[in-house]
Amino acid sequence: MASNKIQFRSIHELKDPALNNKLAQKEFQEEIPVEDFLGDAEQNGSSTSRRDFLKLLGFSTAAVTLAACEAPVIKTIPYVVKPHDIIPGVPNYYASTYFDGFDFASVLVKTREGRPIKIDPNPAAGDLGKTNARAQAAVLSLYDNDKVKQPKLDGKDETFDKVDDFVLKGLEEAKAVGKKIVLLSQSFASPTFKKLFADFKAKYPTAELVTFDAFPYSAGLDAAQEVFGQRALPVYDLKGSELVVSFQADFLGDYNAGSLETSFAEARKPGASMLRHIQVESNMSLTGANADSRYRLKPSAVNKTLVEVYNAIVGGGAASDKIASEIVKELQAKGSKAVVLADGSKGAQVLAHLINQKLGSVAFTGKANFLREFDQARYNEFLAWVNAGQVGVLITNNVDPIYSHPKGEDFKKSLTKVPYVVAVADKKNEMYKAAKAVIPVANWLESWGDMEPQTGVYTLMQPTIQKIYKSRQIEESLLVWKNGKNNAANNYYDYLKASSASILGATSFNKALYNGIVPSNNATTLSYAGGNASQAIAELGNFKASDLELVLYTKTSMGDGTQANNPWLQELPDPITRMSWDNYLTISPKDAERLGIENDLNARMQLDGSIVNLTVNGVTIKDVPVFIQPGQADGSVGLALGYGKKNSGATADTGVNAYPLFDGSNLAISNAKIEKTGEDHEFAGIQLQNTLMGRYEIAKEVPLAEYINVAFDDEHKGWNKPLEYHTISGALPAGKIDLWDAFDDTDGPHFNLSVDLNSCTGCGACIIACQAENNVPVVGKEEIRMSRDMYWLRIDRYYSAKEKIETKEGIDRGLNVPNLYDILIEPNESPDVIFQPVMCQHCNHAPCETVCPVAATSHSKQGQNHMAYNRCIGTRYCANNCPYKVRRFNWFTYNLNDKFDFNQNNDLGRMVLNPDVVVRTRGVMEKCSMCIQETQATILAAKRENRKVSDTEFKNSCACAAACSTGAMTFGDMNDKESEVRKLYSSNRRYYLLEEIGTKPNVFYHTKVRNRVEK
């Protein structure tokens, strides 16, 4: 049955059955001190009379209403000469390429009056146009007030002219004495950049280009070099696969420099050929949370299992391990429609490649990914040059090895041997402080460029705004240093245009720029050419099992830490732990109990956790908070990279820096030791708030066999039976019983949103897209901890565990739901996971509308639930009456408030605000509007052109649906019989959230299907 599982959102909810009631009572953390300001104990010793209360209520209501009508007057300055391509109030879109050294996407940049305000996927780019949360948030990083704003020389502000004089002097000196000139850059798959460096090297023969990445994918590149004979990561496509087995590979996250979530979701469409996903891992990853079957093993055991699978598939033997044996049977049954992915070390990836070769896996496309170029041997050679005093000039292009390399401090000391150190940097980080000359790096939204991300693909980058500060991209600097100052050939746009001609062929530069992406003449393909299996097996065998083994990983929100100073990303809750503003050591419940590690809820329902010192191979990371994570393998701990960036902005200095533990290749490390400090850490999480009042059949799931073989509405075994009410007249369908009269909604559009739980991976891109589109403020760690997040959209993460007794047996034994919890066999150790996006359901019979005393919230004929902010007086009745807990109360004025220094209290940060959406102020309620500003703009545009709105236009009108890479969210007009949302409505997997309440939402969900045989 679809409802055959109890779902719980945290260990604490499992242990304390009454927790939901406590949370519901404490949703609003501070009581209104009515007695203090109304009672007059000195005069009469009594409490407030009803007359006094009503008198004050009437006065305050009137006062708030009058105050709401007053707004500060800010005088505007009109255009003197308006740019020809800018129409006030009308957005412009530019195709460009997002690349920040870690993430890549072909995107559309939405601008208003010359300001980039939103990032959208480029539909012309297919899978390469899909955006994750970091790409969606990248627009805010443009308006970072903590960036380096001015060229520096010896720590003082200086002009580009003087800095260039300094660099040119150093280049000539190095050239004269034969010392090396090193450009240390992040991976940069730009053919024009490489051509430009070759021209630069022609003038300075000792120049060397060395690549350094904080998270370098070294193991994958080394494995590719060995197996394919080329140093490029393979590109996979899961659309034609029916089985994927992953060993520590977070392929829905940052695996292989690109997520597979789009093809994964397409292959996961329920049916006879639905993709089955098996995950073998230590940490509970985003990918593991989406698996049909997940085996939690410590890293040493994962290695052993992978070796056994390889020996059975390639060597023809039999696996002695039970888990390996089950995996082998499934791989052999699926053959070429199966694929194995691995991560964590070179050996693991070599074996995975060889297994895929044996299977003839169709998921291996033969295409090459060029986004990662790091070579550890080359970098070590560079370090030897520096230590030997052979480097005369070092130019670092937006990299900081002092922070992100395990021997960063040694590198910092060795820089004293380099006479000229030039940092092209965006923050006042360690590299900035170590350099004699600093050049502010231009943001990708301010730059020209090109990329060749993979075989046969070429993309262009164009500036969408004038440079905000005195910054310069590395290519502009190279042109100046190659040609000399004030040379007419120093225009990088002209250089790029000329260079791209050989790639574009008959396609004009402007046409390519308009599309953002075109075919490339690079036909590089990968094919199996080698692979030393015995060496790989020996490498995995050398990883010795220990009491605790550490697994390093990149978080969905933070990645490698490039955007660590982005408050949108710091506040974005981790999809698994639901914690924000932190990284932490994840540990299994059993290990936590064994080691005396605790996570406790205080009286305010806030989570506190133990703090430890973590020591690995003689390196100690101090004061690491510990989070007890269901699904974490016993004997293993996990820690996210990319945090703890000092001197990189106020927001970036969050969490602890784990890079000193990472050798750049192996993500798993043996012999980890932890020591409790005796202190506690205050976590900021949102999983325990906004509860759905203890109701548990809200995230439905069904086994694939049952989905295929059992009718959804079968009287006895139906897995999604239509809701019925039992009345005096007998059972009646829920839709036939109502307290209100229905109104005609067939004239014009009527909007619905479909959410498919089978496709939602929990990645959070929709949350950031909503935040950017609707000016949702960042509130900070303290307010998140107080349960005062302002998100209009959240993704609830539910753990599930199977009941061990039948319902009838429970009734016969007099067991209620809390009693049933006690019968579960340690469900918190390895639970299934479901992600459920929840936003305002835009109910046709909305409970919030009936209780608002000033009619601030009302319903439209188009199905959207409206909020009139200037009418709202903040009673919060609507929030109390909302069963979905999706309404937010503004406790503070978040903008123009120094207490909330998260980009909205300075003029630069506020440039990201969408002028079509009002910035809400203190004391009002707000929530999802289904992006009414976009739907209305779409309707008006069609009306002006005297045509019908296409379904595609409406689908892209809702920010969350437009940003979703998996198609889990579909927005559209239910009155359009050809619309996709109308077709989805007829699915037998469709159900409404809390349908029994009778709110008649305009958001509907689709039951999650698990492809496994239930035991």
Side-chain angles (χ1 to χ4, degrees), residues 73-83 86 88 113 115 907:
V73 176
I74 300 176
K75 294 182 179 180
T76 58
I77 301 173
Y79 287 116
V80 177
V81 179
K82 182 181 77 66
I86 292 180
E113 289 75 58
R115 299 177 294 114
D907 289 337

Side-chain angles (χ1 to χ4, degrees), residues 696-760:
Y696 284 94
E697 293 182 2
I698 53 179
K700 293 186 177 182
E701 59 180 300
V702 61
L704 178 61
E706 194 171 327
Y707 167 77
I708 294 175
N709 300 316
V710 179
F712 75 98
D713 56 354
D714 182 270
E715 183 179 356
H716 301 292
K717 296 184 178 180
W719 46 268
N720 193 25
K721 289 190 288 187
L723 181 66
E724 292 182 337
Y725 291 122
H726 296 280
T727 71
I728 195 171
S729 303
L732 293 175
K736 298 294 184 182
I737 299 176
D738 222 324
L739 294 176
W740 292 274
D741 293 332
F743 57 87
D744 180 21
D745 57 14
T746 59
D747 181 22
H750 186 84
F751 297 117
N752 269 208
L753 178 64
S754 167
V755 182
D756 190 344
L757 300 186
N758 211 56
S759 299
C760 178

Side-chain angles (χ1 to χ4, degrees), residues 827-889:
N828 55 330
E829 284 196 351
S830 188
D832 289 333
V833 180
I834 301 180
F835 296 105
Q836 184 174 51
V838 181
M839 67 296 291
C840 174
Q841 304 290 290
H842 295 272
C843 309
N844 289 303
H845 294 160
C848 56
E849 296 169 10
T850 57
V851 296
C852 181
V854 292
T857 181
S858 59
H859 208 70
S860 77
K861 195 173 184 180
Q862 295 178 170
Q864 291 154 308
N865 177 266
H866 294 319
M867 276 298 305
Y869 297 125
N870 64 334
R871 300 189 68 176
C872 177
I873 60 174
T875 62
R876 295 185 287 172
Y877 297 163
C878 57
N880 287 329
N881 218 38
C882 174
Y884 305 103
K885 300 304 173 191
V886 291
R887 287 177 165 263
R888 299 290 178 264
F889 178 72

Side-chain angles (χ1 to χ4, degrees), residues 245-248 279-283 295-311 319-325 327 342-343 345 348 351 537 539-551 632-637 668-671:
V245 181
S246 170
F247 293 87
Q248 300 277 36
Q279 187 81 5
V280 185
E281 64 180 5
S282 305
N283 296 346
Y295 299 104
R296 59 187 192 99
L297 301 174
K298 62 198 300 186
S300 54
V302 174
N303 291 344
K304 181 175 179 297
T305 303
L306 176 57
V307 170
E308 291 217 19
V309 170
Y310 169 82
N311 287 334
S320 59
D321 178 76
K322 180 182 178 183
I323 294 174
S325 178
I327 292 173
D343 201 2
S345 65
L351 292 186
I537 292 172
E539 178 192 331
L540 296 180
N542 288 335
F543 185 94
K544 300 302 181 184
S546 62
D547 182 50
L548 278 184
E549 298 167 11
L550 172 68
V551 179
Q632 181 80 29
D634 296 334
S636 72
V637 290
I669 312 169
S670 191
N671 291 313

Side-chain angles (χ1 to χ4, degrees), residues 364-384:
F364 175 73
T365 65
K367 294 179 181 178
N369 180 314
F370 305 120
L371 291 172
R372 294 293 177 267
E373 303 170 309
F374 179 77
D375 187 332
Q376 184 70 57
R378 171 77 166 165
Y379 184 74
N380 289 338
E381 187 180 15
F382 156 70
L383 293 179

